[in-house]
Each structure stands twice: as C-alpha cells, then as structure tokens.
Amino acid sequence: MSRPGPVLGEEQHLRRDAAENRELLLDAAARLFASHGLDASVEEIARVAGVGIGTLYRRFPTKDALIAALVQDALDTIGKLAQEAAEQPGGKGLEHFLERSSEYQADHSGCLPRLWNTDPGRDRIRRTIVALLEDAKLHSRVRDELTSTDLTLIMWSIRGVIETTRCIAPDAWRRHLDVLLAGMRPADDPFTHRPITQAEVDKVIAHE
Amino acid sequence: MSRPGPVLGEEQHLRRDAAENRELLLDAAARLFASHGLDASVEEIARVAGVGIGTLYRRFPTKDALIAALVQDALDTIGKLAQEAAEQPGGKGLEHFLERSSEYQADHSGCLPRLWNTDPGRDRIRRTIVALLEDAKLHSRVRDELTSTDLTLIMWSIRGVIETTRCIAPDAWRRHLDVLLAGMRPADDPFTHRPITQAEVDKVIAHE
Amino acid sequence: MSRPGPVLGEEQHLRRDAAENRELLLDAAARLFASHGLDASVEEIARVAGVGIGTLYRRFPTKDALIAALVQDALDTIGKLAQEAAEQPGGKGLEHFLERSSEYQADHSGCLPRLWNTDPGRDRIRRTIVALLEDAKLHSRVRDELTSTDLTLIMWSIRGVIETTRCIAPDAWRRHLDVLLAGMRPADDPFTHRPITQAEVDKVIAHE
Amino acid sequence: MSRPGPVLGEEQHLRRDAAENRELLLDAAARLFASHGLDASVEEIARVAGVGIGTLYRRFPTKDALIAALVQDALDTIGKLAQEAAEQPGGKGLEHFLERSSEYQADHSGCLPRLWNTDPGRDRIRRTIVALLEDAKLHSRVRDELTSTDLTLIMWSIRGVIETTRCIAPDAWRRHLDVLLAGMRPADDPFTHRPITQAEVDKVIAHE
DNA sequence: GATGAATGAGATTTCATTCAT
DNA sequence: AATGAATGAAATCTCATTCAT
C-alpha cells in the first residue's frame, strides 16, 4: 500500500549539476587512487562519488581521461605554487617551491605515477622553474652546474620517496629534501656525470 | 648479471630441464616486468619463456611467488654487492655500494616496486650497510648526522628515478646520485628535519 | 513449478531486464545442474541463459551464490508445501508433504546435493514438519517412536533415490516412498536402533 | 665434498613391486575420495600413496580406471557378503546382507556415487540377491510384492543416507535401515505404485 | 542527463594426462 | 619400471566500457 519511496541510500538523490558531479568524481578518484593505487576500479570510484557509472563515463570518456584530469589539476596547482615561490626574496624561491610542491604531492599522492607524464601547461611551469633556478644561482644558494633537468630528477626522486612512505611516514620526504638541498648547494667538488638533456626529459614524459 | 646460485633452503635438486626452465621463466619475467610493469600477464611470461603455463605454475605456485623469487634474487645480489663494497679502502665503500647497487637495479628494474618489500636476508644486508656508513663517517666522507634510514630513503629515491627514466635515459640515476652524494658530504649547515626511525622503515617494508 | 516471489530481504527493485535475466539464469542453472551435476560450468550456464558471463556474475557474485539461490528457492517452496500439507485432515498431512516435496525435488534435482545444507528459514520448516508428525501420530498413521530426525533421514533417502534415477526412471522414488511409508506405520516390533539426535542433524547440515 | 646422498623424504625409496604399488594407490584413493569426494586430485593420491604420478598412470590409465578399480573391489566384497548371507537360516539372509553391505559401504564411502554404476560380476550378485529375497518371502519375513528392483532402490537410498551422514553420524544408516526393514515386512495395505523394471535399473547403471 | 545492467576479453589458477629423464 | 616435469584446456572471476531504460 505504501508508495514506492526512495530506497536506502537513495535519499540524497539530489539533481546535481554536471560541475558538482565532476568534483565528486575527481575527489573520489583521488581518494581511491591514493589508497588502492591506479588499479582502483571505476565502478568503485563511481560508488564512492555517489553517482552511477554511466555518469562517470559521461564526464570522462575513459579511465585514462579521469586520471589525466587529476594530473591536470595537480599540474595547475603546482604551476601556481611555482609562481608564488617566485615572490620569495634572496634566491630562496626554488627551495620554497620544492617544499611546497612536495607537500602538495604528499597530500595528493593518488596519481603520482603519471604526474609528470602529461602535456599542456607544462612548458609554462618549466619556464617558471628555470627562473627560480637562475635566481637561486644568482644568490649562490645552489651550484652553478645545477641544471633544470637536475631539478626534474630531484622531483621524480621525491615522488618516489613519497609513494613509498606515504602511508607510514608521511613526512619522510622532508628529511630527504634536506639531503637533496644540501647536495644542491655550492661546493668545491663538481658533479662527475653530465646532466640529462631536456630532450631526454621530454621523451620520458611523452613515453606515456 | 648472472643469477646467484642456490641460497638458503633452496637446495632442492631440480632436474636439469626443470632448472633450465626456472631460469627461462625468471628471465622472461624480468624482461616483461621491466617493459610492461608488474601487470605483465603470466601467460605472456610463459610464452616468452617458451614453456607451458602449467610449467610456470609448477615452479611458482602463484604470480606473487614468481615476483618474490625475482626479488629474492635481487636482494641476494645486493647483499653480495654490499659485502664486496666493504673491501673498498678509505671509507669509500658506501659510495661504491650505492653506485653498484643502483647499477644492478637499473639493469633489473622489473620488480623494483617491491624490491624492498620482502624479508629474509634483509637484516644481514642492513647490518653490512650500517658498517659501510660507519666506515664512511670514520673517513669523513659523509656527515655524522647521516643515519642508515637516510640511506634507505636515498635508495628509494634512486629507485624512483630509475623507474621513471629507465627506458629513455638509463643513466640518469648517475647524475642524481652525484647530487645525493654531495648532499651526504660533511657540511656546516645541518639537516633541519629528524631522520625517520628504523621502526618506520620496517613498517613501510612490511606494508606489502 | 513457478519460482516463488521475492522473499525476506530480497525485495531490492530489480530492473525488468535484470529480473528477467535472473530468472533465465536460475532456470538455465537448474537445467544444467540437473543434467550435468554441480560441475556444470558457469560459462555454459550463461550461454544457455543467453546472457554474458558478466551478467551472471553481476547477479550472483560466485558460483556458490548461484547454487545458494537455487537452494533458497527450493527451500521456500518446500516450506510452502509443508504449510499446505498442514491443512490435510485425518493426520494425512505428513504423507502428503513427503509426496509433494519429493515431487518438487524430482523436478528440481539440480542442486539436491546441497539442498539441505543451508540455513535461513529451515527452522520454520522444521517446526511445521514436527507439527505434521505429531498430527500423524495423533491419528495413528505413524509409529509413536518415529522422530523428526527419522523424517530427515527419510528425506535424505528419497533424495538419494531421486539423484540416482532421475534421468531414467523419474518416478522411481514413488515406489520407494511406498516402502518408507509402510515402514513408518504403527507396528508391533519396534525399531532396534536409537534415532539420531537433532544436534547431529544440525551438524550434518552445517558440515557444508 | 659429501656424496650426494638421499635427499629428505627419499629415504624410503624402496624398490616396490607392482602389486604393492597397486594396493598403496587404491588405499590412498579410497582415503582421499572418502575425505574429499571424487574431486580429489590424482596428484594428491599419488603423493599419499608415496609413488610418482607416472606410476599411478602406469597402473591405471585414467582416473576413471582407478575409480572403477575401487568400485570393482567393493562389488567383489559385496558379492562375497551376499554369498555369506545366503547361509543365514530362517529367511534372515536378506536382512543380514543389507546390514553387512551397508556396513561395508559406510566404511568405504569413497566412490559410492558410482558404486552401482559399473558392470562385471554384477549379474552374479543380482542372482544371489534374488535368491535371498525368495528365501525371505518363503519365511514370510518380507512382503510377496517386494521385488529385487525394490531392493536396488533400497540400497541406493541407504547409499544416499550414508553419503550425507558419514562424517557426523556414521551409524545413522542403521536407524534408517530399521525403517526400511519395517517397510519390507508383510502387511495388509499393499504398495500403491508399480516397482521399476529391471530394464530401468540396468539403464540407470549403464548411464555412467 | 543519469542510471546501472550487460558485455566479453582477459587474468589467474587447477588438474588430468603425456613424455623425457 | 619409475619418476615427476611439462602440458594446455578449462574453470572461476574481474573490470573497463557500452547501451537500454
């Protein structure tokens, strides 16, 4: 006799608009990728987001597209962090940026494996970072021989540390950054190997 | 480069053909894991090894067992490298070890994600590394404040670089190691964060 | 013959196509289990049902779940048969129930091996059967020494006959029930062994 | 330097002869079929028997052949039991046989599912049983209308009870046999269904 | 537009049987 | 003759993606 009302779990069936769903999906994906790696299933993501799987596929035509969107979000943030860091005086912007961007990655470690593997806007970030590097050299906070590709390796290495330690020792990367910064400082004995080329970095990033 | 011989508890007589197939399988697995990540399918591994899938499962009752075998091989080798490094004079053993072990990992990058995540023999390796560290401090080649857990982070950091660059710039890690070694050297300004504890490292490793 | 409607806890709204497929799958499973035993493959079941294997697994997350659903259907029906039998006058309800429930089992012999091996609702059925037994004793249609556990053995015994003969002589169990009913009737010489306990029956059923 | 002596577990590598192996295998098979059903793997059987799987396949060209051998053993024994029972006076041979053969089956329940499904020697057993039945009728221990096919059904039904209860209540079949024997006794109200034909029984048995 | 049911290729694993040692 | 390594078909189950409702 009772009207077939909303079933358990359906009581929040608000007519959400597209933008909201997008955010819900990205949040859910970030959370699940962080806890289960990129193997987290799209179905689980949709469920956690509270939307149907069809809705997910309307927003993101592919699992990879969803990941790419997360990566893009992260890159956008990192770009902003780089620009903020440029305001630091005394050549300290670079250090500031490394700390802040690492902090951000530690908090959003879900799709780190692919974080550097995508394109648009990356070039602008790179130019900002190069500027930070030049400024740091100008103030003798880092070696002259340090290149922007060295910074890329440094960020990849921090990513590796974060990925490994995030669950247990989420601040481990700070100690490691201490070591890296010490290694970047001006010193008498120069590095013994050539830096990798920007072309190589680009190829790595393009290599999916 | 060659697989280490039978180790503790492994001395069961394998028939010649069985032993051969075991090698073929481990080689194929290493190759495929390196090129396709741990998602490489066991069927593909068996095909590349030129044996039936059943043969693979007779030797390694589980995909994880196969991975574990590769990891064990790698750890055995790294243990040997650590002991060899101990023979280096002038406190240079530690640097020597970091270079050699990184070299090995770059050549066997297939199961790096799990390389540190397994048990037996690890303790012996750690003690050897601690000895290398003490020797390096004795000869003032590294800071006194450097801990063995810092070395662990350093190795994870190198692993991250190798994983990212292996296909395109297989020697990138050497340049990165330059930076790390520079950061390890004695210097005036001390690190600003506490090292992580050995207990934290152990938990990370135990954490799958 | 028709599947019983939604039961306790099963009232989730299934979309029409989903509900249809559920029926198709249960029918196919019943048919194949009947003809090939429980070893019939889920792939074959899906094919006979005319749906993809994924659909089967969406509805029944496990082969066992599929079997359990069939068993549940059967138990529900048998429960109803017991209640219907209670309306028979003259203490004949028990005989009526044995005939009807055996008939049903002969028509749904697919998952007989596990038919009694599951829980919910079983207790209610048992109480109904006990009532049937008491009524039969009251009207002197069966011996006073007959217990409800004897009835359980009797049903297992019929099940054994049905399983063996279903393909060739699908009515053989009727003749066997004649013998059993004759054995249940009041008589001078009592049984010579103790009945098994209800606890033993419960353990047998729990024992997978 | 040590001679490669016998390895662990090989110290009982006695040169066993064929007959002995056959027994070992049949014993192991009976034990494993009893505990794990006919799904017990041939590899496990060989291991429990303490022989190689190749040896098993030399003795029994097929898993089915192994099962058939067990069945044959059982039938031989049951044939002997029937003949022994024929010596019982007063028409009690039939009851004696049912008890003894059930006892034997309860103790050798491994391949019961197929126990009646095989051929050679069966005919001789049947003739012996028919004789027991006639003798029982002669002494008015069973109804005249009881046929040998009824006895077949009775034995199948006992098999069903044994299969179900063997682990928990290994004597349950005795109580059930009480009921069956009571049902076989002469009585006023005749059975209401026709017995199945010998041809039907034969077809059931042939039907794998 | 949103939903979630349906799909089916593909993954891991088992096991009866064959065959080199 | 005995062994057990090798085989590969087949089983169960997962999941990214499509499509009817």
Side-chain angles (χ1 to χ4, degrees):
Chain A
M1 282 318 179
S2 69
R3 207 172 312 111
V7 190
L8 279 84
E10 204 188 338
E11 67 274 52
Q12 51 177 352
H13 176 77
L14 316 168
R15 182 78 175 197
R16 280 186 291 258
D17 57 302
E20 192 177 357
N21 278 347
R22 207 188 119 90
E23 286 313 300
L24 288 171
L25 283 165
L26 286 173
D27 284 355
R31 213 157 40 236
L32 284 168
F33 287 152
S35 57
H36 293 81
L38 289 177
D39 289 345
S41 80
V42 288
E43 188 135 14
E44 177 82 350
I45 292 169
R47 183 166 60 253
V48 168
V51 306
I53 186 160
T55 305
L56 186 154
Y57 269 87
R58 168 163 293 272
R59 292 292 156 249
F60 306 99
T62 255
K63 188 182 189 180
D64 276 356
L66 173 58
I67 294 169
L70 277 176
V71 169
Q72 194 52 55
D73 274 12
L75 284 181
D76 290 347
T77 301
I78 287 178
K80 272 184 217 141
L81 293 176
Q83 280 169 331
E84 286 171 22
E87 294 164 12
Q88 291 285 320
K92 293 188 175 174
L94 180 59
E95 301 159 45
H96 190 82
F97 168 68
L98 286 176
E99 187 182 342
R100 286 305 179 86
S101 65
S102 300
E103 218 161 38
Y104 176 78
Q105 289 192 67
D107 289 342
H108 299 76
S109 45
C111 44
L112 290 177
R114 308 208 190 180
L115 184 48
W116 300 103
N117 303 350
T118 207
D119 234 4
R122 221 172 38 75
D123 216 56
R124 196 160 40 86
I125 297 180
R126 194 178 65 202
R127 281 195 303 272
T128 313
I129 293 178
V130 167
L132 290 172
L133 176 61
E134 290 313 310
D135 186 48
K137 285 182 185 171
L138 215 59
H139 290 82
S140 293
R141 296 202 62 87
V142 303
R143 301 169 180 234
D144 270 334
E145 60 181 328
L146 200 70
T147 68
S148 72
T149 60
D150 289 329
L151 290 177
T152 303
L153 291 186
I154 282 168
M155 294 181 78
W156 283 338
S157 90
I158 292 172
R159 182 182 72 179
V161 170
I162 291 174
E163 266 184 64
T164 307
T165 58
R166 64 183 167 206
C167 296
I168 309 299
D171 279 338
W173 62 268
R174 292 184 189 274
R175 172 76 174 190
H176 187 61
L177 182 52
D178 280 347
V179 178
L180 290 165
L181 286 174
M184 295 159 67
R185 300 271 179 243
D188 294 333
D189 48 342
F191 297 148
T192 57
H193 298 89
R194 69 160 180 91
I196 69 172
T197 65
Q198 184 60 43
E200 285 171 319
V201 170
D202 290 340
K203 256 193 268 178
V204 167
I205 291 174
H207 185 265
E208 196 216 44
Chain B
M1 255 10 166
S2 71
R3 187 147 355 270
V7 200
L8 286 83
E10 205 187 336
E11 66 272 55
Q12 327 109 17
H13 266 308
L14 282 185
R15 227 164 65 179
R16 189 168 50 72
D17 52 350
E20 264 173 31
N21 281 341
R22 186 176 195 277
E23 292 309 297
L24 289 172
L25 284 166
L26 286 172
D27 286 351
R31 211 154 46 235
L32 284 168
F33 286 152
S35 58
H36 294 80
L38 290 177
D39 290 346
S41 83
V42 289
E43 186 142 13
E44 178 80 353
I45 291 170
R47 185 166 57 253
V48 167
V51 306
I53 182 90
T55 303
L56 188 157
Y57 272 90
R58 161 168 288 267
R59 206 55 60 211
F60 306 100
T62 263
K63 188 183 190 180
D64 276 356
L66 174 58
I67 294 168
L70 280 173
V71 168
Q72 193 54 56
D73 273 10
L75 283 182
D76 290 345
T77 300
I78 286 178
K80 270 189 216 141
L81 293 176
Q83 279 168 332
E84 286 171 22
E87 294 163 12
Q88 292 284 321
K92 293 188 176 174
L94 180 59
E95 300 159 47
H96 189 83
F97 167 69
L98 286 176
E99 188 183 339
R100 287 305 178 86
S101 65
S102 300
E103 216 161 43
Y104 177 79
Q105 290 193 65
D107 287 343
H108 298 76
S109 46
C111 43
L112 288 178
R114 308 207 191 181
L115 184 48
W116 299 103
N117 303 349
T118 210
D119 234 4
R122 220 173 41 76
D123 217 58
R124 198 159 39 86
I125 297 180
R126 195 179 65 201
R127 280 196 303 271
T128 313
I129 293 178
V130 167
L132 292 171
L133 176 61
E134 291 313 309
D135 187 48
K137 286 181 185 173
L138 216 59
H139 291 79
S140 294
R141 295 200 63 85
V142 304
R143 303 171 180 232
D144 271 333
E145 61 182 325
L146 199 71
T147 67
S148 74
T149 61
D150 288 327
L151 289 176
T152 303
L153 290 184
I154 282 167
M155 294 181 78
W156 284 337
S157 147
I158 293 171
R159 182 180 72 178
V161 170
I162 291 173
E163 266 183 66
T164 306
T165 59
R166 64 185 166 204
C167 297
I168 309 299
D171 279 338
W173 63 267
R174 292 185 190 273
R175 173 76 173 189
H176 186 63
L177 181 51
D178 279 347
V179 178
L180 289 166
L181 287 174
M184 295 159 66
R185 299 273 180 241
D188 295 331
D189 49 341
F191 297 147
T192 57
H193 298 90
R194 69 161 182 91
I196 68 172
T197 64
Q198 184 60 44
E200 285 171 319
V201 169
D202 289 340
K203 257 193 266 177
V204 167
I205 291 174
H207 184 264
E208 196 223 42
Chain C
M1 252 13 165
S2 71
R3 188 149 353 273
V7 199
L8 285 82
E10 203 188 336
E11 66 271 55
Q12 328 107 16
H13 265 309
L14 281 185
R15 228 164 64 178
R16 188 168 50 73
D17 53 349
E20 265 173 29
N21 280 341
R22 186 176 195 277
E23 291 310 297
L24 288 172
L25 283 166
L26 286 172
D27 286 351
R31 211 154 46 236
L32 284 168
F33 286 152
S35 58
H36 293 81
L38 290 178
D39 290 346
S41 84
V42 290
E43 187 142 13
E44 177 80 354
I45 291 170
R47 185 165 57 253
V48 168
V51 305
I53 181 93
T55 303
L56 187 156
Y57 272 92
R58 161 168 289 266
R59 207 54 59 211
F60 307 100
T62 263
K63 189 183 190 180
D64 276 356
L66 174 58
I67 294 168
L70 281 173
V71 169
Q72 192 54 56
D73 273 9
L75 284 182
D76 290 345
T77 301
I78 287 178
K80 270 188 215 142
L81 293 176
Q83 278 168 333
E84 287 171 21
E87 293 162 13
Q88 292 283 320
K92 293 188 175 172
L94 180 60
E95 300 158 47
H96 189 83
F97 167 70
L98 286 176
E99 187 183 340
R100 286 306 176 86
S101 64
S102 301
E103 216 161 41
Y104 176 78
Q105 290 193 65
D107 287 344
H108 298 77
S109 45
C111 43
L112 289 177
R114 308 207 189 180
L115 184 49
W116 299 103
N117 303 349
T118 209
D119 233 5
R122 220 173 40 76
D123 217 58
R124 197 158 40 87
I125 297 180
R126 195 179 65 201
R127 280 195 303 272
T128 313
I129 293 178
V130 167
L132 291 171
L133 177 61
E134 290 314 308
D135 186 50
K137 286 181 184 172
L138 216 59
H139 291 80
S140 295
R141 296 201 63 85
V142 304
R143 302 171 180 233
D144 273 332
E145 61 181 325
L146 200 71
T147 68
S148 73
T149 60
D150 289 327
L151 290 177
T152 302
L153 291 184
I154 282 166
M155 294 181 78
W156 284 337
S157 143
I158 293 171
R159 183 181 71 178
V161 170
I162 291 174
E163 265 183 66
T164 307
T165 58
R166 64 185 166 204
C167 296
I168 309 300
D171 279 338
W173 63 267
R174 291 184 190 274
R175 173 75 173 189
H176 186 62
L177 180 53
D178 279 348
V179 177
L180 290 166
L181 285 174
M184 294 160 66
R185 300 272 179 242
D188 295 331
D189 48 342
F191 297 147
T192 57
H193 298 91
R194 68 159 180 94
I196 68 172
T197 65
Q198 184 60 42
E200 285 171 320
V201 170
D202 290 339
K203 257 193 268 180
V204 167
I205 290 175
H207 184 266
E208 196 220 42
Chain D
M1 283 316 177
S2 69
R3 207 172 313 111
V7 191
L8 280 84
E10 206 188 338
E11 67 275 52
Q12 50 177 352
H13 177 77
L14 317 168
R15 182 82 175 194
R16 280 185 291 259
D17 58 303
E20 192 178 358
N21 278 346
R22 206 188 121 90
E23 286 314 299
L24 288 170
L25 283 166
L26 287 173
D27 284 354
R31 213 156 42 234
L32 284 168
F33 287 151
S35 56
H36 293 81
L38 289 177
D39 291 344
S41 80
V42 288
E43 188 134 15
E44 177 82 352
I45 292 170
R47 182 166 61 253
V48 168
V51 305
I53 186 158
T55 304
L56 185 155
Y57 269 86
R58 167 165 294 272
R59 291 292 156 250
F60 305 99
T62 256
K63 187 181 189 181
D64 276 357
L66 173 57
I67 294 168
L70 277 175
V71 169
Q72 193 52 55
D73 273 12
L75 284 182
D76 288 348
T77 302
I78 287 177
K80 272 185 218 140
L81 293 176
Q83 280 169 330
E84 287 171 21
E87 294 164 12
Q88 292 283 321
K92 293 189 175 173
L94 180 60
E95 301 159 46
H96 189 82
F97 167 69
L98 286 177
E99 186 182 342
R100 285 307 179 87
S101 64
S102 300
E103 218 161 38
Y104 176 78
Q105 289 193 67
D107 289 343
H108 298 76
S109 46
C111 43
L112 290 177
R114 309 208 189 180
L115 184 49
W116 300 101
N117 304 348
T118 207
D119 233 3
R122 220 172 38 75
D123 216 57
R124 196 161 39 87
I125 297 180
R126 195 178 63 202
R127 280 195 303 272
T128 313
I129 293 177
V130 166
L132 291 170
L133 175 61
E134 290 314 310
D135 186 48
K137 285 181 185 172
L138 216 59
H139 291 80
S140 294
R141 295 203 63 88
V142 303
R143 300 170 181 235
D144 271 333
E145 58 181 327
L146 199 70
T147 68
S148 73
T149 61
D150 290 327
L151 290 177
T152 303
L153 291 186
I154 282 168
M155 294 182 78
W156 284 337
S157 91
I158 292 172
R159 182 182 71 179
V161 170
I162 291 174
E163 266 183 66
T164 307
T165 57
R166 65 183 166 207
C167 296
I168 309 298
D171 278 339
W173 63 267
R174 292 184 189 274
R175 172 76 173 190
H176 187 61
L177 182 52
D178 279 349
V179 177
L180 290 165
L181 287 174
M184 295 159 66
R185 299 273 180 243
D188 295 332
D189 48 342
F191 297 147
T192 58
H193 298 89
R194 69 161 180 91
I196 68 172
T197 65
Q198 184 61 43
E200 285 172 320
V201 169
D202 290 340
K203 257 193 268 178
V204 167
I205 291 174
H207 186 265
E208 194 219 42

